[in-house]
Amino acid sequence: MRVPLSWLREYVDVAADATPEDVLAAMVSVGFEEEDVHRFELQGPIVVGQVVSLEPEPQSNGKTINWCQVDVGEAHGGVRGIVCGAHNFVAGDKVVVTLPGAVLPGPFPIAARKTYGHVSDGMIASARELGLGDEHNGIVVLSDLGLDAPVGTDAIALLGLDDVAVDVNVTPDRGYAFSVRGIAREYSHATGAAFRDPAERDFAELQPGSGHTAIVDDAAPVRGNVGASEFVTRVVRGVDPSRPTPPWMIARLSLAGMRSLGVLIDITNYVMLEIGQPLHGYDLDKLAGGITVRRATPGEKMTTLDGQERKLHVEDLLITDESGPIGLAGVMGGGTTEMSETTSNVLIEAATFDPITIARTARRHKLPSEASKRFERGVDPLVPFVAARRAADLMVELAGGTLTDEGGALFAEVFVGEIELPAGFVQGLIGVDYTDAEITDALTTIGAEVTDSDAGWTVIPPTWRPDLTDKWSLAEEVARIHGLDRIPSVLPTPPSGRGLTLLQQGRRRVANALAAAGFVETPSFPFTTDAQNDLHGSASGEHLPSIRLANALDGAAPFLRRSLIPGLLQIAHRNISRGLTDLALFETGVVFLPEPGVEYGTTEVPPLGVRPSDETLAELNASIPPQHRHVAVLLTGNVVARQPGRAAEAAGLGEALDAVRVIGEAAGVTIDVAQAQRAALHPGRTGVLMVGDVEVGYVGELHPDVAADADLPGRATVVEIDLDGILALAGAKSIAASLSTFPAATQDVSLVVGADVPAGDVSAALAEGAGALLESVRLVDDYRGDGVAAGSKSLTFALRFRADDRTLTAAEATEAKLAGVAVAAERFGAVIRD
């Protein structure tokens, strides 16, 4: 909210020597954020001059200029010759002259310069050049503004261009501060300066009369709130729309960020900025019958003041007459009844509209306005009568109109609920030992009615503060009025036993371990296609149910993901297209796994601002599909770049299995790998990941067709694991065993088994048979060739044995090895290779 200081001083005692920065500092002290300081970027000398003579001189380019002699006063050099291209003035007119040395907005410095064969010793200024508006067709003639000042007078002060405005950021809950009235009140709170409320007027003089009472016909109120609870009209006849808007008003409107649009519209905007009540003026002679406020009908249209024809929604609130819609209530008026240069009789409207209705209409039509900005935040319901009378008075004063007894009013009882404020509550919440007097004084200062009660106080907030709804907001007001600097800066002591859960700790360990291993975390959006869900969300590629979003961000990807792999593929493609070909990526994120035959989602959305009941929350939770947190890895390109003396090493299954090992160790589980098949992965290069007997994920190389569809130029290997699942299987904390100080005994064994027997199963059989003495078993060779029968393979394992209490003999190690071989022979027909 931009507030010119001259305007602010009308309603609160701002010290004469107070700077804009002082005013902003005061506003900050009561909880408002400062934005900026706005000035007319002018520098004198800019003075009143009188045209002594002007000689039209046609030019070769077809343009005619005026060679003028302008008297600017003896103090400024007397009569000066000035070239001017405008033609809306005559000899004897008083104008605004910018003399050499002056600077206009831009910045545009003024100097004597030769042009059109003359030396122009200054410039006669237009309104736009002075920053007073957009008018640039002619220069400013003071008589047109109703001004007459001696030659040589400082025009900057005469036109109000020496004013300055402070810009205060108003939060959405403090709509009352979108007015000079509200800012003046808050400045009074901050400094103790005397405040004069512009809305304090004798109610008898505010009565609007009769003959133009509006009808509200709201058959479908939003959340039970009627669209218009108050509607006040006043009639001013005989206005002259050609009268100039006074310079002081133009200057204030300009500093407040609004353009001058003619005296009638300027008056309605001025009153809105002053009191905070949006107004609208209708050309009374263009109205057809009485005014009705109603909701739009299906298919109804109207043309707003911006010239746009708008298709209306049945929730839109309209101002109508017998001809149809003449305004979007609280947002923008219609073109058929707007005030214009032919208007002579004006109907002024001031109303109280439902904030939710206005906010939805403004957003629905993408039509934010100064009026809707105030209505949707809540306007003081006691000021429509004041605002209507204030606008009528200004139209009489500035536009030559006559205030009549015509008008009308739709009254509504204004009820503000009581709030119980317990004694001691404010002190306990804020942490400051306020006295009872300080609490009641603060609440009384902001306009609340405070009475004693058995438990503390009963508080009725002022009508302009709809944000004060409970004891917590009242406590905030006490802290704000008495200074936020009184609140001590004390760090709270966290209660014991809090912090990250075991599940959260596990997730962080896994992510940190992958990052430490050289992988880059790349979060992605959880949106994909139905086909991608089928391909990567199931082993066989069969169709599985997916959750479709009702309002998807991307219409091409409207489904929630069942797998993290599609997102990693998109990220890999994006990086490769930018020249980054060696990638090791990972993501931890939620996947959505709806169960077949179960309907998810809800068509009923609880209203905002009201906590849903436990039953409603239970229904909402039941409408959400199961969500599991997964971790996925993708590798492509080289794991080791080519360098002198070493060839490049491509990332493959080995590196993917290393990632599985890193994840398992960080999660505290042992993950085993067995051969498997998946539709999206390469046959024979796919493994299923197991923790005990539980399947937790998969690893493998992408099928060449899948890699090609993802625009990946080479091989890519992927891993996807149910992260929450393996963390749940980890159980209690692992306790590290004591290290044996005795030496190890190592032996190798080569077993011939069928080519279709997984090496992992043979390794598990060896470990089971060898017993507790076996410390580790590692596959070191898989041979298929001469010396091994067709359909068979030779698997060589490196075994390491160790005892905790003694040094093993070779015989003990051999015995344990053979026991393992016996189990492998029993299960798979394994024989020791000669």
Side-chain angles (χ1 to χ4, degrees):
M1 175 66 189
R2 296 183 183 183
V3 181
L5 292 191
S6 65
W7 204 351
L8 185 67
R9 286 188 168 97
E10 290 187 9
Y11 302 117
V12 67
D13 291 340
V14 180
D17 59 349
T19 66
E21 290 72 23
D22 294 335
V23 175
L24 287 174
M27 298 305 297
V28 169
S29 71
V30 286
F32 288 85
E33 181 181 351
E34 65 177 85
E35 286 286 343
D36 203 353
V37 175
H38 299 272
R39 296 179 171 88
F40 289 103
E41 301 299 330
L42 297 171
Q43 178 180 319
I46 301 175
V47 301
V48 173
Q50 187 168 29
V51 179
V52 176
S53 66
L54 71 160
E55 299 177 11
E57 295 183 357
Q59 304 297 312
S60 59
N61 59 4
K63 182 179 180 181
T64 299
I65 61 97
N66 291 311
W67 171 237
C68 306
Q69 300 299 311
V70 184
D71 183 8
V72 294
E74 292 300 327
H76 300 287
V79 177
R80 294 180 181 239
I82 299 175
V83 173
C84 182
H87 302 279
N88 66 317
F89 64 101
V90 296
D93 282 343
K94 289 184 177 179
V95 295
V96 176
V97 180
T98 57
L99 299 176
V103 179
L104 297 180
F108 180 57
I110 303 299
R113 63 189 182 94
K114 187 173 182 179
T115 179
Y116 294 109
H118 300 281
V119 175
S120 184
D121 198 14
M123 186 181 77
I124 305 175
S126 70
R128 189 170 73 177
E129 289 163 342
L130 294 172
L132 273 175
D134 294 332
E135 179 59 45
H136 194 58
N137 294 326
I139 53 98
V140 174
V141 178
L142 294 185
S143 60
D144 292 343
L145 300 179
L147 297 176
D148 186 13
V151 170
T153 300
D154 181 6
I156 293 179
L158 177 68
L159 297 175
L161 302 179
D162 55 349
D163 203 355
V164 60
V166 293
D167 195 350
V168 179
N169 183 20
V170 179
T171 54
D173 60 332
R174 299 187 185 276
Y176 68 94
F178 275 114
S179 66
V180 178
R181 177 195 188 207
I183 297 298
R185 189 188 303 275
E186 290 299 332
Y187 183 83
S188 172
H189 296 341
T191 63
F195 168 68
R196 297 171 291 279
D197 191 350
E200 282 191 3
R201 296 187 64 165
D202 184 359
F203 192 71
E205 68 178 3
L206 302 179
Q207 297 304 307
S210 61
H212 293 278
T213 301
I215 298 173
V216 176
D217 181 16
D218 189 357
V222 176
R223 299 185 187 173
N225 295 322
V226 176
S229 55
E230 290 183 315
F231 201 95
V232 181
T233 60
R234 300 206 74 127
V235 174
V236 180
R237 293 188 177 273
V239 297
D240 180 4
S242 65
R243 284 198 180 187
T245 302
W248 58 266
M249 181 177 283
I250 296 178
R252 287 181 176 182
L253 289 173
S254 179
L255 281 175
M258 303 190 77
R259 294 184 298 118
S260 175
L261 299 172
V263 65
L264 300 180
I265 297 175
D266 289 348
I267 286 171
T268 59
N269 287 336
Y270 185 86
V271 174
M272 176 185 68
L273 293 174
E274 182 176 71
I275 300 180
Q277 170 68 53
L279 300 168
H280 188 71
Y282 300 91
D283 187 324
L284 181 60
D285 298 325
K286 296 179 182 179
L287 286 173
I291 290 179
T292 300
V293 183
R294 61 170 174 82
R295 302 283 173 176
T297 58
E300 196 167 13
K301 298 179 181 180
M302 73 164 290
T303 301
T304 47
L305 282 174
D306 56 1
Q308 298 293 318
E309 184 180 68
R310 302 184 182 276
K311 183 177 180 180
L312 303 175
H313 186 275
V314 293
E315 198 180 77
D316 290 336
L317 191 67
L318 304 179
I319 311 298
T320 68
D321 63 5
E322 292 179 0
S323 66
I326 58 174
L328 271 175
V331 179
M332 184 175 285
T336 59
T337 58
E338 66 176 315
M339 296 183 294
S340 65
E341 64 276 2
T342 62
T343 298
S344 60
N345 302 308
V346 176
L347 178 76
I348 301 170
E349 165 217 308
T352 300
F353 295 119
D354 173 44
I356 296 175
T357 294
I358 303 307
R360 289 183 178 180
T361 296
R363 285 156 179 75
R364 185 181 298 116
H365 295 284
K366 297 180 175 62
L367 194 60
S369 64
E370 291 293 329
S372 66
K373 180 168 66 176
R374 287 163 174 81
F375 277 125
E376 65 190 24
R377 288 164 171 80
V379 173
D380 185 354
L382 296 184
V383 299
F385 291 88
V386 177
R389 178 58 189 263
R390 171 68 165 149
D393 290 343
L394 287 174
M395 287 187 183
V396 171
E397 176 185 351
L398 304 179
T402 301
L403 179 61
T404 71
D405 292 333
E406 301 173 79
L410 172 69
F411 293 91
E413 181 180 1
V414 178
F415 173 77
V416 180
E418 297 179 343
I419 302 173
E420 295 297 328
L421 182 62
F425 174 79
V426 175
Q427 296 90 330
L429 181 67
I430 305 300
V432 176
D433 291 331
Y434 298 112
T435 65
D436 289 351
E438 285 180 315
I439 294 173
T440 56
D441 287 348
L443 296 177
T444 303
T445 297
I446 65 171
E449 297 181 17
V450 183
T451 56
D452 293 336
S453 66
D454 294 338
W457 301 276
T458 298
V459 181
I460 301 178
T463 55
W464 58 85
R465 294 298 303 272
D467 57 306
L468 301 181
T469 57
D470 49 41
K471 58 185 178 181
W472 290 276
S473 53
L474 294 179
E476 179 183 345
E477 287 301 296
V478 174
R480 189 174 69 89
I481 295 301
H482 286 299
L484 300 177
D485 55 334
R486 288 185 60 180
I487 303 175
S489 299
V490 179
L491 290 175
T493 303
S496 60
R498 301 294 178 88
L500 299 177
T501 65
L502 292 177
L503 196 61
Q504 291 169 330
Q505 293 175 15
R507 293 170 183 169
R508 291 198 177 186
R509 284 199 310 272
V510 170
N512 291 338
L514 285 171
F519 291 85
V520 177
E521 186 171 11
T522 55
S524 62
F525 289 116
F527 313 123
T528 187
T529 65
D530 202 20
Q532 289 290 315
N533 270 343
D534 293 344
L535 179 62
H536 296 283
S538 64
S540 62
E542 66 185 41
H543 177 68
L544 294 174
S546 298
I547 297 296
R548 186 185 185 98
L549 297 172
N551 187 21
L553 290 177
D554 183 357
F559 292 90
L560 291 175
R561 64 189 177 191
R562 293 185 64 96
S563 167
L564 300 181
I565 299 302
L568 288 178
L569 292 177
Q570 291 181 359
I571 293 169
H573 166 66
R574 189 177 302 115
N575 280 271
I576 290 172
S577 69
R578 287 158 175 77
L580 303 175
T581 57
D582 301 332
L583 302 174
L585 312 175
F586 82 96
E587 178 180 3
T588 62
V590 171
V591 297
F592 305 84
L593 307 176
E595 299 175 0
V598 179
E599 292 291 333
Y600 296 98
T602 179
T603 58
E604 296 185 5
V605 179
L608 299 176
V610 179
R611 186 184 187 280
S613 65
D614 292 340
E615 293 77 11
T616 301
L617 290 174
E619 292 176 2
L620 290 173
N621 288 330
S623 70
I624 301 174
Q627 301 176 37
H628 297 252
R629 187 171 294 273
H630 283 197
V631 58
V633 168
L634 182 145
L635 298 112
T636 189
N638 295 324
V639 68
V640 176
R642 187 179 67 176
Q643 50 194 295
R646 185 172 182 179
E649 297 181 15
L653 277 175
E655 287 68 34
L657 290 171
D658 283 343
V660 172
R661 175 186 56 78
V662 169
I663 294 170
E665 290 181 352
V669 297
T670 299
I671 302 177
D672 298 318
V673 186
Q675 282 188 332
Q677 299 290 329
R678 286 187 73 88
L681 302 185
H682 195 296
R685 300 178 187 172
T686 303
V688 64
L689 304 178
M690 310 287 294
V691 174
D693 297 330
V694 180
E695 181 178 337
V696 296
Y698 60 88
V699 60
E701 182 181 311
L702 278 181
H703 193 287
D705 292 342
V706 176
D709 289 341
D711 293 326
L712 301 185
R715 294 181 175 181
T717 52
V718 296
V719 176
E720 184 161 16
I721 296 174
D722 184 348
L723 180 55
D724 287 345
I726 63 173
L727 292 174
L729 293 170
K733 293 182 179 179
S734 299
I735 300 177
S738 300
L739 296 176
S740 174
T741 59
F742 293 94
T746 59
Q747 294 195 14
D748 292 343
V749 62
S750 296
L751 300 178
V752 178
V753 296
D756 59 345
V757 177
D761 292 348
V762 179
S763 175
L766 283 172
E768 182 180 336
L773 293 179
L774 182 65
E775 187 175 75
S776 72
V777 54
R778 181 167 55 88
L779 177 67
V780 295
D781 189 37
D782 183 338
Y783 175 74
R784 313 177 193 208
D786 295 340
V788 177
S792 299
K793 61 184 177 183
S794 173
L795 302 177
T796 301
F797 297 92
L799 310 176
R800 185 168 69 239
F801 301 92
R802 195 191 307 266
D804 293 335
D805 56 350
R806 66 188 187 283
T807 300
L808 290 178
T809 64
E812 288 176 312
T814 300
E815 180 181 357
K817 178 185 72 174
L818 294 177
V821 171
V823 174
E826 178 183 354
R827 293 182 181 176
F828 309 109
V831 295
I832 297 178
R833 182 183 174 192
D834 296 333

